[in-house]
Amino acid sequence: MNNLNWSSAVNNLTSKGQAYVLVTLIGVSGSTPRNSGTKMVISHQEIFDTIGGGHLEHKAIKFAQQLLQSAQDCQHIEHFQLGSNLGQCCGGNASVLFECFASNNVNIMLFGAGHVGQALVPILASLPCQVTWVDSRAQQFPENMNDYYNVTKVVSDTPQDEISQMPANSYYIVMTHNHQLDFDISQAILKRADFHYFGLIASQTKWRRFQQRFKHREIDIEQVQRMSCPIGLAEVPGKMPMEVAVSIAGEIISLYQKTQQEQPKSIKHAVPVSQQGVSWQALKTMVTEHSSS
């Protein structure tokens, strides 16, 4: 068990984009190990804090780990009779709320800290994603980088070499200050052939030249066709840095929202993603049924 308390664990896991389940005793009666309101956190690798130990906590951890396998945000209430069901000598009853927060699977690598990049990062920093921001010019990065908990600054003379550090299905945005550098980065991304999104900022002339050069380098045409160029949503026109940034962010949001909606839900009885929380009527029925059992 980790030494962090549940609130510190939530902050730590959220900042890293890791999945976890927040477990809360929302109702107790009779003799129970801990009082109502007690919380603990379970992640894939660690356990933080405790709701009292024993078989109740063992069952709670096991159920939380099942929820983590669903890889989706959900909520669930489970009732436990500590005596007859769990073999604990306390003899009381406990109602437990499980709140599952799925991991953040949107990993973005942004190349270029120019005007558009500086307009785009504050938007991405407010979204559920992890951003790696790469440029060869250290002076281009803003001084308030510490304000963006989900953004990592990387200063590199060979930005294309950073691509190997990204997981499969990453999102790539290429907008450096140098056309040759854009091409080198693009070529490295296309050769990996495992991107979820690849957007390149370019004029029509630049884009045509790049496509011809890709052919000469024998880059898979299917990978080139997957690129988003011109970058951003066509419905959001404009050439000002903020206009371009909003257009790019809109395209990324649209893509990851669509991906999340297509993911199947694997845990029976968990609250559907489309339902926000548990209705009062449903909660009242649960408590009534539990009290009469």
Side-chain angles (χ1 to χ4, degrees):
M1 183 174 292
N2 196 292
N3 291 327
L4 288 178
N5 62 28
W6 70 267
S7 59
S8 298
V10 166
N11 290 333
N12 186 48
L13 293 166
T14 300
S15 67
K16 294 179 179 179
Q18 296 180 7
Y20 65 91
V21 176
L22 177 61
V23 178
T24 307
L25 296 182
I26 59 172
V28 297
S29 62
S31 179
T32 56
R34 299 293 296 272
N35 295 326
S36 179
T38 302
K39 300 176 184 289
M40 70 181 298
V41 171
I42 295 98
S43 71
H44 282 290
Q45 291 83 24
E46 296 181 283
I47 299 170
F48 307 85
D49 235 319
T50 177
I51 56 171
H55 201 185
L56 171 62
E57 183 164 301
H58 173 75
K59 295 286 284 187
I61 292 171
K62 186 176 181 180
F63 185 78
Q65 290 171 339
Q66 287 181 303
L67 289 178
L68 287 170
Q69 295 305 314
S70 73
Q72 292 214 353
D73 294 344
C74 62
Q75 297 168 311
H76 185 89
I77 294 175
E78 190 75 13
H79 302 293
F80 299 94
Q81 293 183 348
L82 275 59
S84 60
N85 290 348
L86 300 185
Q88 292 188 208
C89 60
C90 302
N93 299 303
S95 296
V96 183
L97 170 63
F98 296 85
E99 298 174 276
C100 184
F101 298 87
S103 62
N104 172 14
N105 295 318
V106 181
N107 295 284
I108 300 173
M109 181 165 274
L110 167 62
F111 293 93
H115 295 302
V116 177
Q118 292 184 31
L120 177 59
V121 163
I123 302 175
L124 297 180
S126 63
L127 298 175
C129 61
Q130 295 295 311
V131 182
T132 302
W133 194 7
V134 187
D135 202 297
S136 60
R137 306 162 297 170
Q139 70 276 10
Q140 285 295 118
F141 292 97
E143 295 181 358
N144 65 333
M145 284 294 298
N146 290 334
D147 294 344
Y148 307 135
Y149 73 89
N150 59 337
V151 180
T152 300
K153 177 182 74 174
V154 175
V155 179
S156 174
D157 291 331
T158 53
Q160 63 271 26
D161 292 344
E162 303 301 322
I163 295 167
S164 63
Q165 304 300 315
M166 294 297 285
N169 297 313
S170 291
Y171 293 62
Y172 297 94
I173 304 169
V174 179
M175 51 174 69
T176 77
H177 61 292
N178 183 286
H179 283 203
Q180 181 58 47
L181 187 55
D182 280 351
F183 181 81
D184 293 340
I185 293 169
S186 298
Q187 182 177 231
I189 295 170
L190 291 169
K191 284 185 175 181
R192 272 195 59 161
D194 64 354
F195 60 89
H196 190 70
Y197 168 87
F198 176 12
L200 171 68
I201 194 167
S203 64
Q204 288 297 329
T205 300
K206 175 182 174 181
W207 178 225
R208 284 194 297 269
R209 288 175 178 172
F210 271 34
Q211 291 179 85
Q212 288 298 321
R213 294 180 69 184
F214 290 146
K215 288 182 180 179
H216 295 155
R217 301 294 178 92
E218 297 184 349
I219 300 294
D220 187 349
I221 186 61
E222 292 185 1
Q223 297 301 319
V224 176
Q225 291 173 345
R226 291 179 58 211
M227 291 176 61
S228 180
C229 188
I231 195 171
L233 295 175
E235 297 84 355
V236 186
K239 296 184 178 181
M240 295 178 61
M242 182 53 70
E243 292 172 335
V244 177
V246 169
S247 179
I248 296 170
E251 186 173 33
I252 290 175
I253 292 170
S254 176
L255 185 58
Y256 76 62
Q257 288 282 4
K258 180 181 178 181
T259 301
Q260 290 173 358
Q261 291 170 6
E262 291 174 350
Q263 292 176 345
K265 195 170 187 62
S266 61
I267 297 295
K268 295 179 180 179
H269 310 306
V271 177
V273 174
S274 59
Q275 179 179 339
Q276 298 298 312
V278 181
S279 70
W280 165 244
Q281 187 61 42
L283 181 59
K284 184 178 179 181
T285 300
M286 292 179 191
V287 174
T288 301
E289 291 176 350
H290 175 53
S291 300
S292 61
S293 61

